[in-house]
Amino acid sequence: MFTRVIRHSGFWKSVVFLSIMYLVILLLVQWFATGFSNQFVTILWESDKVWMLPFAGFIAGFMVSYGKFWARLKKEDKRR
């Protein structure tokens, strides 16, 4: 089922879109947590952990897309 889901048309497009959206949300939440500080950007880029934000966005986007497409394929299988 895993290969069926990741080969489904539109799956990777959904992963990329949701990854970008989660990345934006993570950045906004962290910026909010710093009190909308102007130094947030400089602190973020100087941090060694800046690569974790896109990775976390990708993981979240992949998991949500996988669940969405898995449910869609299960529903199609049930109809048959």
Side-chain angles (χ1 to χ4, degrees):
M1 185 65 148
F2 179 77
T3 56
R4 238 178 104 196
V5 171
I6 65 171
R7 289 183 182 171
H8 196 276
S9 64
F11 174 76
W12 289 107
K13 183 179 177 182
S14 177
V15 169
V16 169
F17 176 74
L18 288 175
S19 296
I20 291 169
M21 296 312 300
Y22 278 110
L23 176 63
V24 168
I25 290 169
L26 286 171
L27 286 172
L28 288 175
V29 166
Q30 287 189 353
W31 189 37
F32 173 75
T34 61
F36 299 107
S37 171
N38 290 336
Q39 295 177 346
F40 171 73
V41 176
T42 57
I43 292 170
L44 180 68
W45 290 114
E46 291 173 358
S47 173
D48 293 337
K49 297 179 178 134
V50 71
W51 61 272
M52 292 174 79
L53 291 173
F55 183 69
F58 174 77
I59 294 298
F62 185 87
M63 290 180 1
V64 170
S65 293
Y66 185 83
K68 180 175 74 171
F69 280 88
W70 181 82
R72 182 182 298 169
L73 289 173
K74 278 297 206 184
K75 192 175 186 179
E76 288 175 5
D77 287 348
K78 193 174 186 178
R79 278 191 220 154
R80 292 181 196 174

